[in-house]
Amino acid sequence: MKKKLLAILITACMLFALMPITAGAAAEALVIKLAIGSPTLSVNGSTSAIQKPFKLNGTTMVPLSVITKAFGAGLKLENNKIITLSYNSTKVVLTIGSKIVKVNGAPVTLTAEPKIVNGVTMVPLRVIVSAFGAKLTLSGNQITINGVKANASGTSTGSNTGGINSDAGKTKVGDSYYGWTMNYPSDLVLSYQSDNGSATQWASAQDDRRVSVFVDDVDQAYTREELRDHIIGYFAEDEFAVEKKTLTLGDLSVERIISKERNGWYFDNRAVQVGNRIYFFAVGVKADSRDKLDAYQDLLNSFKPSFAANDVSLKDITKVKDGYMTAIDKDYGLSVALPVDWHRDTEAATPTFQSEEGFLSFEVSSLSAGDTAQAWLKRIHEDLQEEFQPEYLRNINESTIVLADGIAQVLSFEYTLDKKNWKKVHDVLLVAGSHKYEINYYSWNEDASAGDALYRKIVGSINIDTNYIEKNFSELEDSEELEKLTVQKTSKKYGYSIKLPQSWKSDQKDFEKEDILYSIPYGIFEINILTDFSASDYASSAQQFYSTDADMVKLGAQLRTNTTATLGNGLSAKKIVVDFTKSDSPQTGVYYVIEKDGFTYVLSYVIMQASDTEINRSKLEEVINSFAFKN
């Protein structure tokens, strides 16, 4: 449990881990140049045209494509407003119209929000560049960014839920919760439906024709131009409009944009707003001419933002009942009832769901001989108290909850990262057959009684197909045993070795490169090799950097010590300790700087002060002290 809890909470450390004179692990070096008010972007000397960057409330705003194309970042768009950027192990989540940006789950408040300008999504530059570990330099209106290309881009996945056109007597389809109806797309099958049903798509067997209906709730009336921007928000990168107009269909005023992708798809896109709800509905065909869209005009024209429950010809495909939806993960044999505003993290390897009210995760592991849920609970309870400073925990208690598959043990507690804001956690442990099931429920609800009631309703609805798990999941070792084991890593190029816990993993783990980065349960660990700074130069620059750099001042960086230390193997090192007192989760960074044969080796870790316990620090210091040069 401690690993999942702290992994979710400590990721703010990623923003502050690097000293300014270290470089990122270079897959492909990037030099990006652009300027406020200029339509020209240069990436490694290659220029292209972009919408002009501008400043808003002191924040530099750039087109989203600058980030995705230049850095190779993965992109996912949810509900036409939630943008998730994936860059190696880093995730940055932005929301159109919100000043809150989350970097690996840690919230950062900006002075300006992402927005759509002339059909182009403009996003704040510095917070994203910093999260990607790149360096941003300003000279007047000129902006230079030095960074590296992502190792891989994010992808998106869908699911196939089968056809719906086999229902005899049904000529219409609709959603009673979202309140819409249209004629049956009888030549297509339902190829995707989101957990709450707000996104629905039909496709042909050859996937050369598609019909989509997306529903978005907004907080105000949109102008015609804003509705058109809403449509454009669904465009692919290479998609462009060939027609824009307003249609009058009965008493409805509908915005329409016909668009084309360069890969041969044409789309008839439409949007209508009723109250605070926007309905986007579209037809796409892969064809040489837009004339192929004509066959679907009757279907599109039949769309109505209403649902007649007494119409026997109408099939209701809603997934919502009494404000709840049933989310199903067939791969894990899991079903759970969730409020309609919760959403699934489609990029998570295990079932994960979240909303503004809470967070739910689900994991399966093997049951060791003789182990029990009660013994498991005891271990987690002991680990929790060892891994958190006492003043950051309160109201720890043990209980049980009845699930469809048995009685589960529960460890509940409240935690804080800043001694101001407290959150509640329920760690639910179930043993069934030869497997252990761990359900972590995090409550963000400020109303404690409402949060507990929601927890009981959601977790109490969980149903696990344990027979499916027994047949398809075999030995799944959890991290408890791995934490006791180590592995020796070596670098031939830089001539060193170091022992790391077997439970650690990283996307930057090539020890023949200059930079190593591990995100660990209670912080991060790094190794950086420098060729242009001596150990003494590095140490002497620390005081000035932390006291004068604007970002460090904002974080309340305080240089606690700048001394010398002797590692366990007798190596002499400069030791720098820095506290970040004003970050959302106060942290401490510890840097050991060693010089040998023209290289400067920086071994560092950043740890949340909430988890800066003797046991956690001793684990990290043990890793540091295992560092040795090869003879």
Side-chain angles (χ1 to χ4, degrees), residues 83-239:
I83 301 165
T84 300
L85 296 170
S86 302
Y87 176 84
N88 298 337
S89 60
T90 299
K91 286 187 180 180
V92 180
V93 180
L94 311 98
T95 302
I96 302 294
S98 172
K99 295 179 181 179
I100 303 298
V101 175
K102 292 185 178 180
V103 180
N104 286 335
V108 179
T109 302
L110 305 178
T111 59
E113 68 275 14
K115 59 192 306 181
I116 296 174
V117 179
N118 296 327
V120 176
T121 301
M122 305 295 287
V123 295
L125 178 63
R126 183 179 290 275
V127 67
I128 300 173
V129 168
S130 297
F132 289 359
K135 180 180 178 182
L136 186 150
T137 304
L138 292 174
S139 178
N141 286 336
Q142 300 296 315
I143 303 168
T144 302
I145 302 166
N146 290 278
V148 294
K149 196 83 170 178
N151 294 333
S153 298
T155 58
S156 60
T157 58
S159 61
N160 192 324
T161 56
I164 64 169
N165 58 354
S166 60
D167 297 283
K170 303 296 184 181
T171 60
K172 302 174 188 175
V173 65
D175 189 301
S176 58
Y177 177 78
Y178 289 105
W180 62 264
T181 307
M182 72 177 183
N183 290 344
Y184 240 125
S186 56
D187 58 336
L188 309 175
V189 296
L190 187 64
S191 58
Y192 173 77
Q193 192 175 23
S194 61
D195 288 320
N196 63 6
S198 63
T200 307
Q201 187 170 83
W202 293 263
S204 64
Q206 299 78 23
D207 195 27
D208 58 358
R209 289 161 289 144
R210 299 172 192 162
V211 172
S212 305
V213 179
F214 299 148
V215 184
D216 293 290
D217 289 323
V218 296
D219 59 1
Q220 58 186 303
Y222 275 35
T223 66
R224 286 185 175 182
E225 195 59 36
E226 287 169 337
L227 277 176
R228 292 177 181 181
D229 284 343
H230 187 84
I231 292 173
I232 292 171
Y234 285 100
F235 278 20
E237 285 190 1
D238 64 345
E239 191 171 350

Side-chain angles (χ1 to χ4, degrees), residues 305-581:
S306 60
F307 186 93
N310 59 352
D311 187 345
V312 296
S313 68
L314 174 57
K315 177 177 175 59
D316 187 2
I317 60 169
T318 190
K319 300 184 77 174
V320 181
K321 183 178 181 181
D322 298 327
Y324 277 72
M325 61 186 179
T326 299
I328 298 174
D329 192 314
K330 293 182 180 179
D331 293 329
Y332 275 85
L334 173 72
S335 71
V336 56
L338 295 167
V340 69
D341 60 341
W342 282 56
H343 64 273
R344 183 193 304 252
D345 183 350
T346 57
E347 294 188 356
T350 58
T352 304
F353 307 89
Q354 57 190 313
S355 77
E356 293 182 355
E357 294 179 295
F359 175 94
L360 176 73
S361 66
F362 175 87
E363 289 194 12
V364 182
S365 59
S366 298
L367 181 68
S368 300
D371 199 7
T372 65
Q374 290 79 5
W376 187 17
L377 176 71
K378 182 180 178 181
R379 292 195 303 273
I380 288 179
H381 194 156
E382 291 173 349
D383 285 345
L384 177 68
Q385 293 180 303
E386 289 180 353
E387 300 285 336
F388 263 105
Q389 294 276 27
E391 62 268 31
Y392 291 86
L393 285 174
R394 71 184 185 191
N395 297 333
I396 306 174
N397 65 78
E398 299 179 1
S399 62
T400 60
I401 187 171
V402 178
L403 303 182
D405 303 285
I407 298 176
Q409 302 296 311
V410 182
L411 179 66
S412 301
F413 59 92
E414 293 178 59
Y415 70 89
T416 181
L417 300 181
D418 56 8
K419 298 184 181 179
K420 299 176 183 177
N421 302 299
W422 292 83
K423 304 296 182 183
K424 191 163 188 178
V425 179
H426 303 276
D427 193 12
V428 182
L429 311 173
L430 175 69
V431 168
S434 62
H435 289 88
K436 299 187 299 182
Y437 302 89
E438 184 168 10
I439 302 153
N440 291 131
Y441 184 93
Y442 302 79
S443 178
W444 313 138
N445 201 317
E446 294 183 1
D447 184 335
S449 60
D452 286 347
L454 185 60
Y455 146 71
R456 288 190 294 269
K457 184 164 186 176
I458 290 177
V459 174
S461 75
I462 288 177
N463 196 332
I464 307 166
D465 187 345
T466 54
N467 290 330
Y468 169 83
I469 296 294
E470 292 295 317
K471 291 179 181 179
N472 294 281
F473 288 63
S474 54
E475 295 183 35
L476 287 170
E477 187 179 59
D478 59 27
S479 61
E480 289 185 88
E481 293 300 320
L482 292 179
E483 291 179 4
K484 303 174 185 178
L485 305 174
T486 62
V487 61
Q488 181 164 294
K489 299 285 191 176
T490 61
S491 174
K492 294 180 180 179
K493 182 175 181 178
Y494 297 108
Y496 69 86
S497 65
I498 192 168
K499 291 182 180 179
L500 304 181
Q502 292 271 19
S503 60
W504 288 13
K505 60 182 179 180
S506 169
D507 289 332
Q508 291 180 227
K509 55 184 179 293
D510 186 344
F511 283 76
E512 300 308 317
K513 293 186 176 181
E514 296 176 349
D515 300 292
I516 304 299
L517 173 64
Y518 281 82
S519 180
I520 56 180
Y522 35 82
I524 66 168
F525 175 82
E526 289 189 273
I527 300 175
N528 304 109
I529 312 299
L530 310 177
T531 58
D532 52 354
F533 279 87
S534 67
S536 59
D537 288 341
Y538 189 99
S540 64
S541 70
Q543 178 69 56
Q544 181 179 7
F545 170 69
Y546 286 113
S547 62
T548 61
D549 180 83
D551 289 334
M552 294 297 103
V553 171
K554 185 177 180 180
L555 292 169
Q558 296 179 2
L559 183 61
R560 189 197 304 176
T561 61
N562 191 343
T563 60
T564 59
T566 302
L567 303 187
N569 49 29
L571 286 175
S572 179
K574 300 284 187 181
K575 182 180 180 181
I576 302 165
V577 181
V578 182
D579 293 319
F580 301 100
T581 61

Side-chain angles (χ1 to χ4, degrees), residues 234-286:
Y234 285 100
F235 278 20
E237 285 190 1
D238 64 345
E239 191 171 350
F240 56 93
V242 297
E243 178 181 309
K244 293 183 184 180
K245 64 187 302 183
T246 302
L247 298 177
T248 300
L249 300 174
D251 58 353
L252 290 179
S253 177
V254 179
E255 295 307 313
R256 178 196 196 189
I257 299 180
I258 296 180
S259 61
K260 184 182 188 304
E261 284 185 20
R262 294 186 184 276
N263 61 1
W265 280 84
Y266 281 93
F267 296 90
D268 189 334
N269 309 279
R270 303 186 184 188
V272 62
Q273 182 172 11
V274 178
N276 288 340
R277 184 161 282 172
I278 296 178
Y279 299 88
F280 169 86
F281 49 108
V283 165
V285 294
K286 193 169 186 178

